[in-house]
Amino acid sequence: MQAGDRTDPKAVMRMLNLEIVKNYDELSDRAAAKVAALVKEKRDAVLGLATGATPEGMYARLVRMHRAEEVSFSSVTTFNLDEYESLPPGHPQSYHYYMHRHFFSHINISPQRINIPLCSGLSVEAFCLDYDSRIEAAGGIDLQILGIGSNGHVGFNEPANSLLLGTHLVELAEETIRDNSRHFDSPGDVPRRAITMGIGSIMQAGEIVLLASGKGKARAIADSLSGRVTTAVPASLLQLHPRVTFIIDKEAASIIEP
Ligand code: GLP
């Protein structure tokens, strides 16, 4: 970092919506409330969805709200951010499996309106182009939910010299493989490649909500809200989005607000 080229983090935070909440429960409450509010207002909302441990609490709350007949997903369309390339949908660590287990099996969404990247039959290139066309045909994503990798990745857009705008096949970073190996028997079982929505598809969403919980995310959050935009920290590009909210707990905020 050169002298004089830092933006005051407080100034960045004033530009973005930053909600620092007490803990994971509060984070999940806030995230679910945002999704529910949109779906109540726009029955045919298009949601961009994320996997990982972070949004599990949000999904649990949305399922609860659905069971209490507070919210209906019958006209909602969803696009998931990413999926491991080599895992079949029935594999317990696949994001297909995750989404059905935590959300889709418990709500009244129509299966035809669920989109998760999985390339079968088509070439990867054709599949990725088709995924982006499907997002466009649905009218674009109204609300994109994001987690964040400890290296600042969003979806599986890993730190790199340049980032791709559209959906694409990606080699996972060693750090991501290490982080995600906690879900597998051994690091060797973690797939090396994934299909992810590109940074362009994410940035085109009408609204973005990024969720982060725990100390392990504090560095990535600080780097994403530093006032510097760099493909070395993919989440830092979100600072350019006109309607983005970071909902993070105290631990994830521990570097920006010690
Ligand atoms: C994975 C996913 C991301 C997710 C990230 C963080 O790598 N591809 O979309 O945001 O992990 O996951 P967690 O919430 O489990 O920390």
Side-chain angles (χ1 to χ4, degrees), residues 134-172:
R134 275 191 266 162
I135 296 176
E136 213 183 307
I141 291 170
D142 293 307
L143 173 61
Q144 175 67 56
I145 302 295
L146 294 176
I148 185 170
S150 61
N151 63 359
H153 75 214
V154 284
F156 270 134
N157 292 278
E158 299 282 22
N161 288 333
S162 65
L163 295 175
L164 286 168
L165 295 181
T167 300
H168 61 281
L169 183 67
V170 65
E171 298 278 337
L172 300 185

Side-chain angles (χ1 to χ4, degrees), residues 11-12 32 68 147 169 241 252:
V12 178
L169 183 67
H241 195 279

Side-chain angles (χ1 to χ4, degrees), residues 236-248:
S236 71
L237 272 77
L238 301 174
Q239 294 170 113
L240 298 170
H241 195 279
R243 268 186 91 194
V244 60
T245 305
F246 278 59
I247 305 178
I248 66 179

Side-chain angles (χ1 to χ4, degrees), residues 195-241:
I195 293 180
T196 184
M197 261 163 61
I199 204 75
S201 321
I202 293 170
M203 291 292 281
Q204 274 167 31
E207 183 175 2
I208 298 176
V209 172
L210 183 141
L211 309 174
S213 169
K215 278 212 164 14
K217 300 293 171 69
R219 172 46 51 202
I221 287 296
D223 291 344
S224 303
L225 297 174
S226 67
R228 171 185 289 258
V229 172
T230 168
T231 57
V233 184
S236 71
L237 272 77
L238 301 174
Q239 294 170 113
L240 298 170
H241 195 279

Side-chain angles (χ1 to χ4, degrees), residues 3-253:
D5 70 349
R6 284 198 74 205
T7 308
D8 173 10
K10 293 266 183 272
V12 178
M13 289 176 221
R14 279 194 298 273
M15 272 157 49
L16 300 159
N17 296 317
L18 174 66
E19 295 184 17
I20 301 177
V21 296
K22 220 173 34 225
N23 53 30
Y24 180 69
D25 275 347
E26 217 174 283
L27 174 149
S28 305
D29 288 343
R30 287 290 304 132
K34 272 200 162 275
V35 174
L38 171 69
V39 173
K40 280 182 201 169
E41 182 194 313
K42 188 175 179 203
R43 284 181 55 81
D44 60 349
V46 180
L47 302 177
L49 297 179
T51 51
T54 313
E56 280 179 20
M58 174 191 80
Y59 291 129
R61 281 156 180 78
L62 288 170
V63 167
R64 239 182 277 148
M65 288 179 197
H66 171 67
R67 288 191 176 136
E69 295 183 9
E70 288 169 30
V71 60
S72 166
F73 294 90
S74 62
S75 304
V76 164
T77 299
T78 61
F79 287 91
N80 262 81
L81 276 171
D82 48 16
E83 176 60 288
Y84 291 115
E85 185 214 11
S86 53
L87 297 188
H91 189 289
Q93 297 313 331
S94 77
Y95 291 164
H96 278 74
Y97 190 92
Y98 171 105
M99 287 308 300
H100 284 86
R101 169 159 174 245
H102 290 288
F103 196 35
F104 296 146
S105 316
H106 313 288
I107 59 169
N108 62 337
I109 190 164
S110 136
Q112 298 90 309
R113 293 184 199 269
I114 296 173
N115 298 276
I116 307 177
L118 173 71
C119 176
S120 60
L122 298 172
S123 71
V124 178
E125 292 75 19
F127 172 80
C128 292
L129 286 173
D130 180 63
Y131 201 69
D132 289 333
S133 314
R134 275 191 266 162
I135 296 176
E136 213 183 307
I141 291 170
D142 293 307
L143 173 61
Q144 175 67 56
I145 302 295
L146 294 176
I148 185 170
S150 61
N151 63 359
H153 75 214
V154 284
F156 270 134
N157 292 278
E158 299 282 22
N161 288 333
S162 65
L163 295 175
L164 286 168
L165 295 181
T167 300
H168 61 281
L169 183 67
V170 65
E171 298 278 337
L172 300 185
E174 283 307 322
E175 201 173 349
T176 300
I177 291 172
R178 239 185 355 258
D179 284 352
N180 290 4
S181 66
R182 68 188 196 278
H183 302 296
F184 292 81
D185 290 340
S186 83
D189 292 339
V190 184
R192 320 295 291 184
R193 304 204 296 183
I195 293 180
T196 184
M197 261 163 61
I199 204 75
S201 321
I202 293 170
M203 291 292 281
Q204 274 167 31
E207 183 175 2
I208 298 176
V209 172
L210 183 141
L211 309 174
S213 169
K215 278 212 164 14
K217 300 293 171 69
R219 172 46 51 202
I221 287 296
D223 291 344
S224 303
L225 297 174
S226 67
R228 171 185 289 258
V229 172
T230 168
T231 57
V233 184
S236 71
L237 272 77
L238 301 174
Q239 294 170 113
L240 298 170
H241 195 279
R243 268 186 91 194
V244 60
T245 305
F246 278 59
I247 305 178
I248 66 179
D249 65 13
K250 282 208 161 95
E251 290 196 340

